[in-house]
Amino acid sequence: MMKRVIWLISGLNRRMMKLLFALALIAYIASVWGTYTNMRSIQEHGEMKIEQRIDEAVAPLREKIRDLEQSFSQKYPPVKFLSEKDRKRILITGGAGFVGSHLTDKLMMDGHEVTVVDNFFTGRKRNVEHWIGHENFELINHDVVEPLYIEGLAKRVGARLLLASTSEVYGDPEVHPQNEEYWGHVNPIGPRACYDEGKRVAETMCYAYMKQEGVEVRVARIFNTFGSRMHMNDGRVVSNFILQALQGEPLTVYGSGAQTRAFQYVSDLVNGLVLLMNSNISSPVNLGNPEEHTILEFARLIKSLVVSRSQIQFLPEAQDDPQRRRPDIRKAKMLLGWEPVVPLEEGLNKTIQYFSRELEHQANNQYIPKPKAARMKKGRPRHN
């Protein structure tokens, strides 16, 4: 009897031991699982924190990458498609300058291939940077003190040569308005002589080369032109007056201000240049606005448009400063169908807005330009 009891107790103990072991095992497994899940939760939470920090650090880089992608996928101004036979290859020396860059825009948008050569002395890469990377555009940094021999290039490839001449070839004219048959009235040793005679001899050389080598030549005699991308310190009357008015400085007028000039907006000039380049007119053509204003009228107009409190300051008149300047454009009207269309005040308002933006840009870069004293050389201003 005792043995059975002992055996029964022993059996119960074994079962109890098994049950206790199972319970202990379950408790251990539950403990391990709990530890594992806690560790997993901590790990996931830690990973989330790490990912968050990485995202915060990478966000500015992503922004920069997006900016770079946008710059590489630059959107160009609209360009007309031209077939191979209609598309011209055009070289523009000084194509990053004031007039040159606007001519570049016109020819590019018309669908031609344009190569710009410039040393960026007065021109700026900013003027043509919106074309960089376009398949029809090429920019070369070169100074023509190392000659390109473009007249020889024109002869070799059968190209046409367009010379951007100037109304300065007429000097201080005795004929008014000035037509293309007028030979001019120039002091060959005066303070303006280098520029005046330089342009006159450029025309001479072009026509001599045309007669000698048969190269087609076009000559544009450009009268006073203004607009965006003018160099702020070029000493010209428009840039001087606008800069002085915007900065509240006196508007400097040389002499009485009774000298007259005729001002055209740059887009009108560019349209005239393109028409002349595509024409059969081999003799010089005046491109200018026949609307004549005195320098004093012009100073007052700019002061009014800027709404400036600047005063007008009169300085001594310069030697050989032309007293009257107005183009006779009958030839351009008749043979090219060209005449200026942009009203003076409209063009001036656009130019004033451009100069205002430039002043803001340069102020942010800690540089405030000052208007030059109209490029005085031995008493000579530039009222042109």
Side-chain angles (χ1 to χ4, degrees):
M1 187 68 179
M2 181 61 71
K3 286 183 180 178
R4 285 182 180 176
V5 171
I6 292 170
W7 182 82
L8 183 61
I9 292 171
S10 177
L12 288 171
N13 286 340
R14 282 198 296 272
R15 287 175 186 171
M16 185 63 71
M17 289 296 293
K18 286 180 180 179
L19 181 60
L20 289 172
F21 179 77
L23 288 172
L25 183 60
I26 290 169
Y28 174 74
I29 291 171
S31 173
V32 170
W33 178 254
T35 303
Y36 172 75
T37 54
N38 284 338
M39 289 177 66
R40 183 68 181 269
S41 175
I42 292 168
Q43 183 179 3
E44 288 178 353
H45 185 64
E47 287 176 353
M48 286 176 63
K49 278 189 173 180
I50 292 170
E51 287 179 2
Q52 184 179 355
R53 288 179 180 175
I54 290 172
D55 285 340
E56 289 173 355
V58 168
L61 296 175
R62 285 184 182 142
E63 288 290 331
K64 288 183 179 178
I65 290 170
R66 271 196 294 269
D67 291 341
L68 284 171
E69 286 175 345
Q70 287 176 0
S71 67
F72 283 124
S73 58
Q74 178 179 351
K75 296 192 177 193
Y76 302 102
V79 173
K80 180 181 177 182
F81 174 77
L82 290 179
S83 64
E84 188 71 28
K85 67 181 181 66
D86 295 325
R87 188 168 64 246
K88 296 182 176 70
R89 298 179 67 187
I90 301 168
L91 172 68
I92 305 177
T93 57
F98 164 44
V99 174
S101 63
H102 285 284
L103 181 60
T104 297
D105 287 349
K106 169 70 174 168
L107 294 170
M108 284 292 296
M109 288 189 285
D110 284 348
H112 301 292
E113 296 179 20
V114 177
T115 299
V116 166
V117 176
D118 207 297
N119 65 351
F120 306 112
F121 184 70
T122 56
R124 292 185 299 178
K125 194 176 289 185
R126 281 177 55 197
N127 293 342
V128 292
E129 66 181 357
H130 49 283
W131 293 117
I132 292 175
H134 194 282
E135 61 182 359
N136 287 355
F137 180 76
E138 187 169 355
L139 178 62
I140 300 173
N141 187 341
H142 181 83
D143 196 322
V144 292
V145 295
E146 298 177 13
L148 288 174
Y149 300 109
I150 57 173
E151 67 283 2
L153 175 63
K155 177 186 174 183
R156 181 167 61 85
V157 301
R160 181 175 290 170
L161 182 65
L162 171 67
L163 173 67
S165 188
T166 172
S167 59
E168 291 294 322
V169 299
Y170 300 125
D172 186 6
E174 297 175 324
V175 171
H176 191 80
Q178 296 81 53
N179 59 43
E180 292 85 353
E181 286 70 42
Y182 179 51
W183 290 359
H185 178 233
V186 176
N187 177 359
I189 58 171
R192 303 175 69 91
C194 287
Y195 184 69
D196 298 356
E197 297 290 19
K199 286 293 188 178
R200 287 161 68 92
V201 77
E203 290 190 13
T204 302
M205 297 296 287
C206 283
Y207 283 114
Y209 200 76
M210 179 182 74
K211 292 171 184 174
Q212 179 178 313
E213 303 294 343
V215 172
E216 288 190 63
V217 169
R218 303 290 179 266
V219 173
R221 288 179 178 166
I222 301 171
F223 283 68
N224 300 76
T225 306
F226 69 95
S228 61
R229 303 178 189 166
M230 292 182 76
H231 197 288
M232 297 185 75
N233 290 334
D234 65 1
R236 296 178 186 273
V237 63
V238 176
S239 48
N240 261 12
F241 283 170
I242 293 177
L243 198 56
Q244 289 166 339
L246 286 172
Q247 296 181 326
E249 297 183 354
L251 275 65
T252 51
V253 172
Y254 294 87
S256 66
Q259 312 95 306
T260 65
R261 298 292 184 270
F263 297 92
Q264 67 181 334
Y265 192 62
V266 65
S267 60
D268 284 332
L269 170 62
V270 166
N271 290 335
L273 289 172
V274 172
L275 287 170
L276 177 59
M277 185 167 61
N278 294 323
S279 76
N280 294 319
I281 307 171
S282 59
S283 57
V285 176
N286 288 340
L287 294 178
N289 192 334
E291 185 181 320
E292 190 176 9
H293 295 273
T294 69
I295 294 297
L296 185 56
E297 287 172 351
F298 200 64
R300 287 171 176 161
L301 176 59
I302 289 178
K303 180 183 172 185
S304 171
L305 293 175
V306 173
V307 192
S308 172
R309 295 183 178 179
S310 297
Q311 301 298 312
I312 294 177
Q313 180 181 14
F314 293 91
L315 298 178
E317 187 172 357
Q319 180 185 348
D320 296 340
D321 191 22
Q323 295 304 300
R324 301 192 73 184
R325 183 66 62 74
R326 180 163 71 93
D328 180 339
I329 62 168
R330 286 178 295 176
K331 187 175 182 178
K333 275 185 176 182
M334 185 174 16
L335 300 180
L336 298 178
W338 175 89
E339 63 181 317
V341 296
V342 179
L344 178 62
E345 289 194 18
E346 180 183 329
L348 283 174
N349 279 323
K350 291 179 180 179
T351 310
I352 289 166
Q353 290 172 11
Y354 169 78
F355 272 68
S356 296
R357 290 193 300 269
E358 287 292 291
L359 283 173
E360 287 178 18
H361 173 77
Q362 298 196 16
N364 293 334
N365 287 278
Q366 306 301 315
Y367 169 69
I368 305 294
K370 295 294 180 184
K372 288 187 178 179
R375 282 193 184 177
M376 291 293 291
K377 288 187 179 179
K378 297 182 181 177
R380 170 200 174 188
R382 285 194 63 176
H383 269 329
N384 55 307

PDB file of all heavy atoms in Angstrom, residues 347-362:
ATOM      1  N   GLY A 347      10.577 103.168 -74.475  1.00  0.00           N
ATOM      2  CA  GLY A 347      11.933 102.626 -74.422  1.00  0.00           C
ATOM      3  C   GLY A 347      12.681 103.076 -73.179  1.00  0.00           C
ATOM      4  O   GLY A 347      13.400 102.295 -72.550  1.00  0.00           O
ATOM      5  N   LEU A 348      12.495 104.351 -72.797  1.00  0.00           N
ATOM      6  CA  LEU A 348      13.174 104.862 -71.605  1.00  0.00           C
ATOM      7  C   LEU A 348      12.680 104.165 -70.340  1.00  0.00           C
ATOM      8  O   LEU A 348      13.473 103.846 -69.453  1.00  0.00           O
ATOM      9  CB  LEU A 348      12.979 106.368 -71.489  1.00  0.00           C
ATOM     10  CG  LEU A 348      13.838 107.237 -72.410  1.00  0.00           C
ATOM     11  CD1 LEU A 348      13.444 108.703 -72.300  1.00  0.00           C
ATOM     12  CD2 LEU A 348      15.332 107.057 -72.104  1.00  0.00           C
ATOM     13  N   ASN A 349      11.378 103.924 -70.245  1.00  0.00           N
ATOM     14  CA  ASN A 349      10.846 103.238 -69.060  1.00  0.00           C
ATOM     15  C   ASN A 349      11.429 101.832 -68.933  1.00  0.00           C
ATOM     16  O   ASN A 349      11.769 101.390 -67.835  1.00  0.00           O
ATOM     17  CB  ASN A 349       9.315 103.176 -69.117  1.00  0.00           C
ATOM     18  CG  ASN A 349       8.671 104.480 -68.661  1.00  0.00           C
ATOM     19  OD1 ASN A 349       9.159 105.135 -67.743  1.00  0.00           O
ATOM     20  ND2 ASN A 349       7.577 104.863 -69.304  1.00  0.00           N
ATOM     21  N   LYS A 350      11.547 101.122 -70.051  1.00  0.00           N
ATOM     22  CA  LYS A 350      12.162  99.789 -70.017  1.00  0.00           C
ATOM     23  C   LYS A 350      13.619  99.872 -69.572  1.00  0.00           C
ATOM     24  O   LYS A 350      14.098  99.041 -68.786  1.00  0.00           O
ATOM     25  CB  LYS A 350      12.091  99.137 -71.401  1.00  0.00           C
ATOM     26  CG  LYS A 350      10.692  98.750 -71.833  1.00  0.00           C
ATOM     27  CD  LYS A 350      10.731  98.131 -73.223  1.00  0.00           C
ATOM     28  CE  LYS A 350       9.337  97.741 -73.692  1.00  0.00           C
ATOM     29  NZ  LYS A 350       9.357  97.157 -75.063  1.00  0.00           N
ATOM     30  N   THR A 351      14.319 100.875 -70.060  1.00  0.00           N
ATOM     31  CA  THR A 351      15.734 101.035 -69.716  1.00  0.00           C
ATOM     32  C   THR A 351      15.900 101.425 -68.254  1.00  0.00           C
ATOM     33  O   THR A 351      16.813 100.939 -67.564  1.00  0.00           O
ATOM     34  CB  THR A 351      16.388 102.088 -70.625  1.00  0.00           C
ATOM     35  OG1 THR A 351      16.080 101.787 -71.984  1.00  0.00           O
ATOM     36  CG2 THR A 351      17.894 102.113 -70.442  1.00  0.00           C
ATOM     37  N   ILE A 352      15.024 102.284 -67.746  1.00  0.00           N
ATOM     38  CA  ILE A 352      15.072 102.678 -66.334  1.00  0.00           C
ATOM     39  C   ILE A 352      14.832 101.465 -65.434  1.00  0.00           C
ATOM     40  O   ILE A 352      15.516 101.282 -64.418  1.00  0.00           O
ATOM     41  CB  ILE A 352      14.034 103.793 -66.060  1.00  0.00           C
ATOM     42  CG1 ILE A 352      14.492 105.104 -66.714  1.00  0.00           C
ATOM     43  CG2 ILE A 352      13.831 103.997 -64.554  1.00  0.00           C
ATOM     44  CD1 ILE A 352      13.408 106.167 -66.799  1.00  0.00           C
ATOM     45  N   GLN A 353      13.864 100.615 -65.807  1.00  0.00           N
ATOM     46  CA  GLN A 353      13.613  99.400 -65.027  1.00  0.00           C
ATOM     47  C   GLN A 353      14.847  98.499 -65.015  1.00  0.00           C
ATOM     48  O   GLN A 353      15.201  97.929 -63.974  1.00  0.00           O
ATOM     49  CB  GLN A 353      12.419  98.646 -65.609  1.00  0.00           C
ATOM     50  CG  GLN A 353      11.079  99.339 -65.408  1.00  0.00           C
ATOM     51  CD  GLN A 353       9.961  98.665 -66.168  1.00  0.00           C
ATOM     52  OE1 GLN A 353      10.108  97.558 -66.695  1.00  0.00           O
ATOM     53  NE2 GLN A 353       8.825  99.339 -66.256  1.00  0.00           N
ATOM     54  N   TYR A 354      15.495  98.387 -66.163  1.00  0.00           N
ATOM     55  CA  TYR A 354      16.709  97.560 -66.238  1.00  0.00           C
ATOM     56  C   TYR A 354      17.799  98.113 -65.322  1.00  0.00           C
ATOM     57  O   TYR A 354      18.427  97.371 -64.557  1.00  0.00           O
ATOM     58  CB  TYR A 354      17.209  97.512 -67.681  1.00  0.00           C
ATOM     59  CG  TYR A 354      18.591  96.911 -67.824  1.00  0.00           C
ATOM     60  CD1 TYR A 354      18.783  95.540 -67.769  1.00  0.00           C
ATOM     61  CD2 TYR A 354      19.722  97.725 -67.985  1.00  0.00           C
ATOM     62  CE1 TYR A 354      20.043  94.986 -67.881  1.00  0.00           C
ATOM     63  CE2 TYR A 354      20.984  97.184 -68.097  1.00  0.00           C
ATOM     64  CZ  TYR A 354      21.139  95.811 -68.040  1.00  0.00           C
ATOM     65  OH  TYR A 354      22.394  95.272 -68.142  1.00  0.00           O
ATOM     66  N   PHE A 355      18.029  99.420 -65.365  1.00  0.00           N
ATOM     67  CA  PHE A 355      19.057 100.031 -64.527  1.00  0.00           C
ATOM     68  C   PHE A 355      18.714  99.895 -63.045  1.00  0.00           C
ATOM     69  O   PHE A 355      19.603  99.717 -62.214  1.00  0.00           O
ATOM     70  CB  PHE A 355      19.256 101.505 -64.906  1.00  0.00           C
ATOM     71  CG  PHE A 355      20.268 101.722 -65.995  1.00  0.00           C
ATOM     72  CD1 PHE A 355      20.011 101.297 -67.292  1.00  0.00           C
ATOM     73  CD2 PHE A 355      21.476 102.328 -65.741  1.00  0.00           C
ATOM     74  CE1 PHE A 355      20.933 101.485 -68.304  1.00  0.00           C
ATOM     75  CE2 PHE A 355      22.418 102.526 -66.746  1.00  0.00           C
ATOM     76  CZ  PHE A 355      22.144 102.101 -68.036  1.00  0.00           C
ATOM     77  N   SER A 356      17.438  99.992 -62.704  1.00  0.00           N
ATOM     78  CA  SER A 356      17.021  99.829 -61.305  1.00  0.00           C
ATOM     79  C   SER A 356      17.366  98.430 -60.808  1.00  0.00           C
ATOM     80  O   SER A 356      17.889  98.260 -59.701  1.00  0.00           O
ATOM     81  CB  SER A 356      15.514 100.076 -61.165  1.00  0.00           C
ATOM     82  OG  SER A 356      15.189 101.398 -61.493  1.00  0.00           O
ATOM     83  N   ARG A 357      17.085  97.411 -61.643  1.00  0.00           N
ATOM     84  CA  ARG A 357      17.422  96.029 -61.261  1.00  0.00           C
ATOM     85  C   ARG A 357      18.931  95.849 -61.124  1.00  0.00           C
ATOM     86  O   ARG A 357      19.405  95.160 -60.214  1.00  0.00           O
ATOM     87  CB  ARG A 357      16.864  95.049 -62.291  1.00  0.00           C
ATOM     88  CG  ARG A 357      15.347  94.929 -62.272  1.00  0.00           C
ATOM     89  CD  ARG A 357      14.888  93.727 -63.081  1.00  0.00           C
ATOM     90  NE  ARG A 357      15.289  93.811 -64.476  1.00  0.00           N
ATOM     91  CZ  ARG A 357      14.552  94.359 -65.439  1.00  0.00           C
ATOM     92  NH1 ARG A 357      13.371  94.886 -65.143  1.00  0.00           N
ATOM     93  NH2 ARG A 357      14.981  94.374 -66.690  1.00  0.00           N
ATOM     94  N   GLU A 358      19.676  96.461 -62.036  1.00  0.00           N
ATOM     95  CA  GLU A 358      21.130  96.355 -61.960  1.00  0.00           C
ATOM     96  C   GLU A 358      21.669  96.997 -60.678  1.00  0.00           C
ATOM     97  O   GLU A 358      22.577  96.453 -60.031  1.00  0.00           O
ATOM     98  CB  GLU A 358      21.771  97.040 -63.183  1.00  0.00           C
ATOM     99  CG  GLU A 358      21.613  96.263 -64.465  1.00  0.00           C
ATOM    100  CD  GLU A 358      22.401  94.969 -64.449  1.00  0.00           C
ATOM    101  OE1 GLU A 358      23.640  95.016 -64.480  1.00  0.00           O
ATOM    102  OE2 GLU A 358      21.760  93.903 -64.382  1.00  0.00           O
ATOM    103  N   LEU A 359      21.123  98.132 -60.296  1.00  0.00           N
ATOM    104  CA  LEU A 359      21.552  98.789 -59.057  1.00  0.00           C
ATOM    105  C   LEU A 359      21.245  97.918 -57.844  1.00  0.00           C
ATOM    106  O   LEU A 359      22.063  97.800 -56.928  1.00  0.00           O
ATOM    107  CB  LEU A 359      20.868 100.148 -58.914  1.00  0.00           C
ATOM    108  CG  LEU A 359      21.435 101.284 -59.770  1.00  0.00           C
ATOM    109  CD1 LEU A 359      20.558 102.522 -59.643  1.00  0.00           C
ATOM    110  CD2 LEU A 359      22.871 101.614 -59.388  1.00  0.00           C
ATOM    111  N   GLU A 360      20.065  97.285 -57.824  1.00  0.00           N
ATOM    112  CA  GLU A 360      19.722  96.383 -56.721  1.00  0.00           C
ATOM    113  C   GLU A 360      20.690  95.211 -56.669  1.00  0.00           C
ATOM    114  O   GLU A 360      21.175  94.829 -55.603  1.00  0.00           O
ATOM    115  CB  GLU A 360      18.292  95.857 -56.890  1.00  0.00           C
ATOM    116  CG  GLU A 360      17.210  96.886 -56.608  1.00  0.00           C
ATOM    117  CD  GLU A 360      15.819  96.318 -56.841  1.00  0.00           C
ATOM    118  OE1 GLU A 360      15.682  95.081 -56.879  1.00  0.00           O
ATOM    119  OE2 GLU A 360      14.885  97.116 -57.000  1.00  0.00           O
ATOM    120  N   HIS A 361      20.953  94.633 -57.845  1.00  0.00           N
ATOM    121  CA  HIS A 361      21.870  93.494 -57.910  1.00  0.00           C
ATOM    122  C   HIS A 361      23.257  93.874 -57.409  1.00  0.00           C
ATOM    123  O   HIS A 361      23.870  93.144 -56.626  1.00  0.00           O
ATOM    124  CB  HIS A 361      21.947  92.996 -59.358  1.00  0.00           C
ATOM    125  CG  HIS A 361      22.976  91.934 -59.584  1.00  0.00           C
ATOM    126  ND1 HIS A 361      22.779  90.629 -59.216  1.00  0.00           N
ATOM    127  CD2 HIS A 361      24.224  91.992 -60.134  1.00  0.00           C
ATOM    128  CE1 HIS A 361      23.861  89.923 -59.536  1.00  0.00           C
ATOM    129  NE2 HIS A 361      24.740  90.729 -60.092  1.00  0.00           N
ATOM    130  N   GLN A 362      23.744  95.020 -57.833  1.00  0.00           N
ATOM    131  CA  GLN A 362      25.090  95.412 -57.445  1.00  0.00           C
ATOM    132  C   GLN A 362      25.139  95.870 -55.990  1.00  0.00           C
ATOM    133  O   GLN A 362      26.156  95.716 -55.325  1.00  0.00           O
ATOM    134  CB  GLN A 362      25.601  96.503 -58.392  1.00  0.00           C
ATOM    135  CG  GLN A 362      25.689  95.991 -59.828  1.00  0.00           C
ATOM    136  CD  GLN A 362      26.539  96.865 -60.719  1.00  0.00           C
ATOM    137  OE1 GLN A 362      27.302  97.698 -60.256  1.00  0.00           O
ATOM    138  NE2 GLN A 362      26.415  96.661 -62.020  1.00  0.00           N
TER     139      GLN A 362
END
